[in-house]
Amino acid sequence: MTARFYIVGNWKMNQKLEDINNFFKDLGDLGNERQYEAWLAPQAIHLTTLLEKANALNIQIGSQNISDNDSGAHTGEISPSSLIDAGGSFTLIGHSERRSIYKESNDFINRKTLLSLEKGLTVIFCCGETLEEREKGMTESVVAYQIEEGLKDIPSNLREKVIVAYEPVWAIGTGKTASPEQAEEVHLFIRSKLTELWDGTLSHKVPLLYGGSVKPANVEGLLIKPNIDGALVGGASLKGADFRALCDAADKRSKLPGQLQG
Ligand code: PGA
């Protein structure tokens, strides 16, 4: 992956057709000379609704969830190959809502990750600690375990399709953002963990996104940190004008000298 900055909208179970149309009206044209990526993860049922509009704006579309099987008797699941067929290029995996509400285990998350990568998708692998874990000083051990288990056995040729999103559970949808310093500290730790896990191969190039109450008012302070390569955004990605403001911040950041990865 060559772009250094990413703005990824996770629409969760929101956005009716009318909201989607308004979103694109308000978003406007993002321009072609971008040095950052703008991606959207709508509800699966709207993937193809968005595709044409997104393609025209050079926005990649992906899913919020994915199966650990590619076809067959798995009622209600999303097949990686079918996602690609439908024009999707990436999937979120291990989002805290899937871990907590739907009880997804690290092992299950790992199987989804391996299959998705093998089928050609980019994986945005989510990890992060709860408030209780942070208060007990367990942030690093929790994140380390999620990464060790969730990203194990990825062949070296597929590692470049992995993006890691650090999303502290206490900051998701709560209006409480981690401070840029708190986020940078964990991102640095994640980078060192990836270096250890992957023998240094590529780990310095893995985009590390921060997620949890990111909005236009706080995104610049986060993106300025050396190990924060973008944002995974829920609530503030639903309105075209807000998503636009996030993209503008990434655009501004990407034009600061020396920001393209080699
Ligand atoms: P939020 O959600 O921006 O609404 O906090 C982020 C996420 O869950 O990915």
Side-chain angles (χ1 to χ4, degrees):
M1 279 171 270
T2 49
R4 164 70 210 280
F5 294 99
Y6 292 75
I7 299 294
V8 183
N10 171 13
W11 282 358
K12 308 192 180 181
M13 204 166 67
N14 299 301
Q15 306 286 64
K16 297 220 163 96
L17 258 184
E18 191 187 349
D19 305 316
I20 295 174
N21 289 333
N22 288 335
F23 175 92
F24 282 100
K25 246 186 255 156
D26 295 344
L27 180 63
D29 188 359
L30 293 175
N32 289 326
E33 300 291 302
R34 305 206 307 261
Q35 290 171 14
Y36 68 93
E37 298 281 340
W39 295 3
L40 287 172
Q43 296 186 68
I45 197 163
H46 282 310
L47 260 156
T48 48
T49 315
L50 253 72
L51 200 61
E52 205 178 311
K53 286 190 171 91
N55 278 346
L57 295 173
N58 198 13
I59 290 176
Q60 292 191 40
I61 296 295
S63 69
Q64 302 168 11
N65 187 27
I66 203 81
S67 175
D68 63 334
N69 285 277
D70 205 40
S71 66
H74 297 279
T75 305
E77 290 293 311
I78 300 168
S79 142
S81 296
S82 300
L83 174 59
I84 292 172
D85 254 4
S89 63
F90 73 95
T91 181
L92 306 183
I93 294 184
H95 189 280
S96 74
E97 286 150 20
R98 303 246 23 121
R99 290 178 189 264
S100 64
I101 307 172
Y102 300 101
K103 311 289 174 232
E104 293 193 358
S105 67
N106 285 312
D107 182 48
F108 185 47
I109 286 167
N110 180 242
R111 290 202 304 276
K112 292 174 180 223
T113 300
L114 295 178
L115 181 67
S116 296
L117 291 170
E118 193 187 296
K119 296 296 170 188
L121 289 166
T122 292
V123 168
I124 302 184
F125 176 85
C126 307
C127 58
E129 82 288 2
T130 62
L131 184 59
E132 197 189 347
E133 288 162 343
R134 174 163 281 261
E135 283 170 348
K136 284 187 182 152
M138 290 166 63
T139 299
E140 290 191 355
S141 59
V142 167
V143 168
Y145 188 67
Q146 289 172 339
I147 288 178
E148 279 161 13
E149 294 298 303
L151 295 181
K152 74 177 170 216
D153 299 333
I154 299 178
S156 53
N157 62 323
L158 298 179
R159 292 173 189 164
E160 62 180 20
K161 299 275 251 179
V162 176
I163 293 175
V164 176
Y166 168 57
E167 297 205 303
V169 180
W170 49 272
I172 297 177
T174 58
K176 276 193 217 164
T177 328
S179 69
E181 292 68 33
Q182 281 174 319
E184 171 69 10
E185 194 183 355
V186 181
H187 282 218
L188 206 56
F189 174 74
I190 292 173
R191 197 133 353 250
S192 69
K193 195 73 224 165
L194 291 174
T195 305
E196 186 190 308
L197 196 67
W198 291 346
D199 300 324
T201 338
L202 267 174
S203 59
H204 62 290
K205 287 190 181 172
V206 177
L208 302 183
L209 316 187
Y210 168 78
S213 297
V214 176
K215 47 186 185 262
N218 60 24
V219 69
E220 283 194 30
L222 290 158
L223 293 185
I224 205 73
K225 292 292 179 191
N227 286 286
I228 301 182
D229 307 310
L232 177 56
V233 189
S237 71
L238 297 174
K239 298 268 182 252
D242 289 340
F243 193 71
R244 174 67 194 232
L246 295 167
C247 288
D248 287 347
D251 186 49
K252 192 169 144 198
R253 178 70 180 94
S254 68
K255 286 177 178 152
L256 292 178
Q259 292 310 326
L260 269 189
Q261 285 189 331

Short mmCIF file of all heavy atoms in Angstrom, two decimals, residues 8-10 12 92 95-97 126 165 167-168 171-176 210-215 232-237, ligand 1:
data_model
loop_
_atom_site.label_atom_id
_atom_site.label_comp_id
_atom_site.label_asym_id
_atom_site.label_seq_id
_atom_site.Cartn_x
_atom_site.Cartn_y
_atom_site.Cartn_z
N VAL A 8 -11.44 5.97 6.79
CA VAL A 8 -12.35 4.85 6.52
C VAL A 8 -13.63 5.06 7.32
O VAL A 8 -13.60 5.17 8.55
CB VAL A 8 -11.71 3.49 6.91
CG1 VAL A 8 -12.65 2.35 6.56
CG2 VAL A 8 -10.36 3.31 6.21
N GLY A 9 -14.74 5.14 6.61
CA GLY A 9 -16.03 5.31 7.28
C GLY A 9 -16.68 3.96 7.54
O GLY A 9 -16.84 3.15 6.62
N ASN A 10 -17.01 3.70 8.79
CA ASN A 10 -17.73 2.49 9.16
C ASN A 10 -19.17 2.92 9.47
O ASN A 10 -19.43 3.47 10.53
CB ASN A 10 -17.06 1.86 10.39
CG ASN A 10 -17.87 0.72 10.98
OD1 ASN A 10 -18.81 0.22 10.36
ND2 ASN A 10 -17.49 0.28 12.18
N LYS A 12 -21.70 1.17 10.07
CA LYS A 12 -22.43 0.25 10.97
C LYS A 12 -23.83 -0.02 10.41
O LYS A 12 -24.00 -0.05 9.18
CB LYS A 12 -22.46 0.82 12.39
CG LYS A 12 -21.05 1.20 12.87
CD LYS A 12 -20.95 1.48 14.33
CE LYS A 12 -19.51 1.84 14.66
NZ LYS A 12 -19.31 2.12 16.07
N LEU A 92 -13.66 -5.07 7.29
CA LEU A 92 -13.27 -4.92 8.69
C LEU A 92 -13.32 -6.31 9.31
O LEU A 92 -14.19 -7.11 8.95
CB LEU A 92 -14.26 -4.04 9.46
CG LEU A 92 -14.59 -2.64 8.93
CD1 LEU A 92 -15.53 -1.93 9.91
CD2 LEU A 92 -13.34 -1.82 8.73
N HIS A 95 -13.98 -6.09 14.77
CA HIS A 95 -14.50 -4.87 15.39
C HIS A 95 -15.02 -5.21 16.79
O HIS A 95 -15.58 -6.28 17.00
CB HIS A 95 -15.61 -4.27 14.53
CG HIS A 95 -16.02 -2.92 15.00
ND1 HIS A 95 -16.86 -2.74 16.06
CD2 HIS A 95 -15.66 -1.68 14.58
CE1 HIS A 95 -17.00 -1.43 16.27
NE2 HIS A 95 -16.29 -0.76 15.38
N SER A 96 -14.87 -4.30 17.71
CA SER A 96 -15.23 -4.62 19.11
C SER A 96 -16.71 -4.97 19.25
O SER A 96 -17.08 -5.75 20.13
CB SER A 96 -14.86 -3.48 20.04
OG SER A 96 -15.75 -2.42 19.88
N GLU A 97 -17.55 -4.39 18.37
CA GLU A 97 -18.98 -4.75 18.46
C GLU A 97 -19.19 -6.21 18.06
O GLU A 97 -20.06 -6.90 18.60
CB GLU A 97 -19.81 -3.79 17.59
CG GLU A 97 -19.91 -2.42 18.25
CD GLU A 97 -20.04 -1.25 17.29
OE1 GLU A 97 -20.44 -1.45 16.13
OE2 GLU A 97 -19.74 -0.13 17.71
N CYS A 126 -9.22 -4.97 13.59
CA CYS A 126 -9.48 -4.07 14.71
C CYS A 126 -9.08 -4.70 16.05
O CYS A 126 -9.31 -5.90 16.25
CB CYS A 126 -10.96 -3.71 14.78
SG CYS A 126 -11.62 -3.07 13.23
N ALA A 165 -6.37 -1.40 12.91
CA ALA A 165 -7.08 -0.27 13.51
C ALA A 165 -7.10 -0.45 15.02
O ALA A 165 -7.61 -1.46 15.52
CB ALA A 165 -8.51 -0.19 12.98
N GLU A 167 -8.77 0.56 18.22
CA GLU A 167 -10.01 1.19 18.63
C GLU A 167 -10.29 0.86 20.11
O GLU A 167 -10.90 -0.18 20.40
CB GLU A 167 -11.17 0.67 17.78
CG GLU A 167 -11.04 1.01 16.30
CD GLU A 167 -12.41 1.05 15.64
OE1 GLU A 167 -13.13 0.04 15.70
OE2 GLU A 167 -12.76 2.09 15.09
N PRO A 168 -9.85 1.74 21.00
CA PRO A 168 -10.15 1.47 22.41
C PRO A 168 -11.66 1.42 22.61
O PRO A 168 -12.37 2.34 22.17
CB PRO A 168 -9.52 2.66 23.15
CG PRO A 168 -9.19 3.69 22.12
CD PRO A 168 -9.14 3.00 20.80
N ALA A 171 -13.72 4.31 23.82
CA ALA A 171 -13.79 5.54 23.01
C ALA A 171 -14.77 5.40 21.84
O ALA A 171 -15.06 6.38 21.16
CB ALA A 171 -12.40 5.88 22.46
N ILE A 172 -15.31 4.19 21.63
CA ILE A 172 -16.18 3.97 20.46
C ILE A 172 -17.59 4.44 20.76
O ILE A 172 -18.25 3.93 21.67
CB ILE A 172 -16.19 2.49 20.04
CG1 ILE A 172 -14.78 2.08 19.59
CG2 ILE A 172 -17.18 2.25 18.92
CD1 ILE A 172 -14.66 0.62 19.22
N GLY A 173 -18.04 5.42 20.01
CA GLY A 173 -19.41 5.91 20.12
C GLY A 173 -19.72 6.61 21.43
O GLY A 173 -20.87 6.85 21.75
N THR A 174 -18.67 6.93 22.20
CA THR A 174 -18.91 7.51 23.52
C THR A 174 -18.63 9.00 23.55
O THR A 174 -18.92 9.67 24.54
CB THR A 174 -17.96 6.86 24.56
OG1 THR A 174 -16.62 7.08 24.11
CG2 THR A 174 -18.21 5.38 24.69
N GLY A 175 -18.01 9.51 22.49
CA GLY A 175 -17.61 10.92 22.50
C GLY A 175 -16.27 11.13 23.21
O GLY A 175 -15.71 12.20 23.20
N LYS A 176 -15.74 10.06 23.85
CA LYS A 176 -14.44 10.16 24.53
C LYS A 176 -13.35 9.67 23.59
O LYS A 176 -13.21 8.47 23.39
CB LYS A 176 -14.42 9.20 25.73
CG LYS A 176 -15.02 9.73 26.98
CD LYS A 176 -14.60 8.77 28.10
CE LYS A 176 -15.71 8.61 29.10
NZ LYS A 176 -15.52 7.46 29.96
N TYR A 210 -6.43 4.90 13.82
CA TYR A 210 -7.04 5.06 15.13
C TYR A 210 -8.55 5.16 14.94
O TYR A 210 -9.02 5.82 14.00
CB TYR A 210 -6.52 6.31 15.86
CG TYR A 210 -7.39 6.61 17.06
CD1 TYR A 210 -7.24 5.87 18.23
CD2 TYR A 210 -8.43 7.54 16.98
CE1 TYR A 210 -8.09 6.06 19.30
CE2 TYR A 210 -9.28 7.73 18.06
CZ TYR A 210 -9.11 6.99 19.21
OH TYR A 210 -9.97 7.17 20.26
N GLY A 211 -9.33 4.55 15.85
CA GLY A 211 -10.78 4.68 15.79
C GLY A 211 -11.36 4.85 17.19
O GLY A 211 -10.86 4.27 18.16
N GLY A 212 -12.40 5.64 17.27
CA GLY A 212 -13.06 5.89 18.56
C GLY A 212 -13.35 7.37 18.70
O GLY A 212 -12.46 8.15 19.06
N SER A 213 -14.60 7.76 18.33
CA SER A 213 -15.04 9.16 18.44
C SER A 213 -14.16 10.15 17.68
O SER A 213 -13.96 11.28 18.12
CB SER A 213 -15.17 9.56 19.91
OG SER A 213 -16.17 8.77 20.55
N VAL A 214 -13.64 9.70 16.54
CA VAL A 214 -12.92 10.65 15.67
C VAL A 214 -13.93 11.54 14.99
O VAL A 214 -14.98 11.08 14.54
CB VAL A 214 -12.07 9.91 14.60
CG1 VAL A 214 -11.42 10.90 13.65
CG2 VAL A 214 -11.03 9.02 15.26
N LYS A 215 -13.63 12.83 14.93
CA LYS A 215 -14.51 13.77 14.25
C LYS A 215 -13.66 14.88 13.63
O LYS A 215 -12.47 14.98 13.95
CB LYS A 215 -15.57 14.31 15.21
CG LYS A 215 -15.04 14.78 16.55
CD LYS A 215 -16.20 15.14 17.47
CE LYS A 215 -15.68 15.72 18.77
NZ LYS A 215 -15.61 14.80 19.86
N LEU A 232 -10.45 5.28 11.52
CA LEU A 232 -11.64 4.47 11.24
C LEU A 232 -12.76 5.16 12.01
O LEU A 232 -12.70 5.29 13.23
CB LEU A 232 -11.41 3.04 11.75
CG LEU A 232 -12.57 2.06 11.61
CD1 LEU A 232 -13.06 1.97 10.16
CD2 LEU A 232 -12.14 0.66 12.08
N VAL A 233 -13.75 5.63 11.26
CA VAL A 233 -14.71 6.57 11.84
C VAL A 233 -16.14 6.05 11.72
O VAL A 233 -16.58 5.69 10.62
CB VAL A 233 -14.62 7.93 11.10
CG1 VAL A 233 -15.45 8.98 11.83
CG2 VAL A 233 -13.18 8.39 10.96
N GLY A 234 -16.85 6.03 12.84
CA GLY A 234 -18.25 5.61 12.83
C GLY A 234 -19.16 6.81 12.65
O GLY A 234 -19.43 7.28 11.55
N GLY A 235 -19.65 7.34 13.78
CA GLY A 235 -20.65 8.41 13.77
C GLY A 235 -20.35 9.57 12.84
O GLY A 235 -21.23 10.03 12.11
N ALA A 236 -19.10 10.03 12.83
CA ALA A 236 -18.78 11.22 12.03
C ALA A 236 -18.54 10.89 10.55
O ALA A 236 -18.14 11.77 9.78
CB ALA A 236 -17.56 11.93 12.61
N SER A 237 -18.81 9.64 10.16
CA SER A 237 -18.67 9.32 8.73
C SER A 237 -20.04 9.27 8.05
O SER A 237 -20.14 9.01 6.85
CB SER A 237 -17.95 7.98 8.54
OG SER A 237 -18.78 6.90 8.93
P1 PGA B 1 -17.21 6.02 16.41
O1 PGA B 1 -17.03 4.51 15.94
O2 PGA B 1 -16.37 6.88 15.49
O3 PGA B 1 -18.68 6.31 16.29
O4 PGA B 1 -16.71 6.10 17.82
C1 PGA B 1 -15.79 4.02 15.49
C2 PGA B 1 -15.89 2.56 15.12
O5 PGA B 1 -16.61 1.82 15.80
O6 PGA B 1 -15.26 2.10 14.16
#
